[in-house]
Amino acid sequence: MHIAILTFEGYNELDSLIALGVLNRVRTDDWRVTIAAPSPKVTSMNGVVIEQMSTLEEACAADAVIVGSGIATREVTEDPAIMNVLRGLDPSRQLIAAQCSGALVLARLGLLGSIPACTDLTSKPWVVAAGVEVLDQPFYAQDNIATAGGCLASHYLAAWIIARLEGNGAAEGALRYVAPVGEKEEYVERAWRNIAPYLPAPAPALV
């Protein structure tokens, strides 16, 4: 199981790295989480340099993808070399999630269609201009596409992906692991309140 976090030049550390940390709370042999970048190294909006762990082409073949955000997302959407590769993303066979301005990438790829999105306040005008309704909430998902707004909503995307791929118990366990001491029940309950309405209904029990 491969989960790729698309991380571009000028990336937001909170978006890519919090998701990376939460996703890696799953400890199974076939579980792999990577930073997918268009170049061997990318530098964050605050100067943090990280190395590419997978390519954009590999991300397009992954089981799940998170499109991270950053200060250069509009430039990303205007880069034909990057966008042509990302046209290989396919919600019919992948879970696809976007954090903050990552929703603009999904909009420009035509992946949102009539699906509303969550994004941060700075990115909202761009996403609206791309023809997408922006919701005043931290998380929304429909079918295999999810979006989150606000850096500290990144754990919602990670938990949604874990729940879809490994089950609700694994998602709750990952959230509980990273939650602040003394606030774990409250933290998990709030996160689950935002995520649960957008998870598939459990299959009815056989009788």
Side-chain angles (χ1 to χ4, degrees):
M1 201 71 71
H2 178 202
I3 300 92
I5 303 171
L6 302 189
T7 304
F8 304 103
E9 192 69 20
Y11 73 93
N12 185 320
E13 306 94 333
L14 294 176
D15 295 348
S16 290
L17 300 182
I18 289 177
L20 179 77
V22 176
L23 287 163
N24 271 314
R25 300 281 69 81
V26 175
R27 304 294 189 188
T28 58
D29 291 340
D30 66 342
W31 188 265
R32 182 168 70 104
V33 185
T34 65
I35 296 293
S39 56
K41 295 182 179 181
V42 286
T43 303
S44 78
M45 58 194 296
N46 294 308
V48 178
V49 180
I50 57 174
E51 295 186 358
Q52 175 194 66
M53 299 169 67
S54 64
T55 64
L56 299 185
E57 289 82 0
E58 289 172 311
C60 289
D63 300 281
V65 177
I66 294 178
V67 183
S69 75
I71 59 173
T73 302
R74 285 184 293 177
E75 288 81 353
V76 168
T77 63
E78 294 167 1
D79 186 327
I82 292 176
M83 295 299 281
N84 286 339
V85 173
L86 296 185
R87 295 190 195 286
L89 295 174
D90 184 356
S92 72
R93 58 176 176 79
Q94 297 172 294
L95 298 179
I96 299 177
Q99 177 72 40
C100 293
S101 64
L104 180 62
V105 176
L106 298 192
R108 292 284 179 83
L109 289 171
L111 294 177
L112 291 177
S114 61
I115 300 174
C118 300
T119 190
D120 64 285
L121 298 180
T122 299
S123 304
K124 180 178 177 178
W126 313 334
V127 178
V128 170
V132 176
E133 177 190 359
V134 172
L135 303 173
D136 185 23
Q137 61 190 62
F139 177 83
Y140 180 82
Q142 185 173 314
D143 299 323
N144 287 344
I145 293 179
T147 53
C151 302
L152 295 182
S154 55
H155 64 294
Y156 294 161
L157 291 182
W160 176 78
I161 287 174
I162 296 171
R164 291 292 306 273
L165 297 179
E166 291 289 319
N168 294 0
E172 288 192 26
L175 289 170
R176 192 174 302 278
Y177 187 101
V178 301
V181 172
E183 298 180 355
K184 291 187 179 292
E185 294 302 325
E186 176 187 355
Y187 187 94
V188 172
E189 180 182 349
R190 182 177 65 250
W192 207 246
R193 190 166 62 243
N194 283 288
I195 300 164
Y198 306 107
L199 293 173
L206 297 176
V207 294

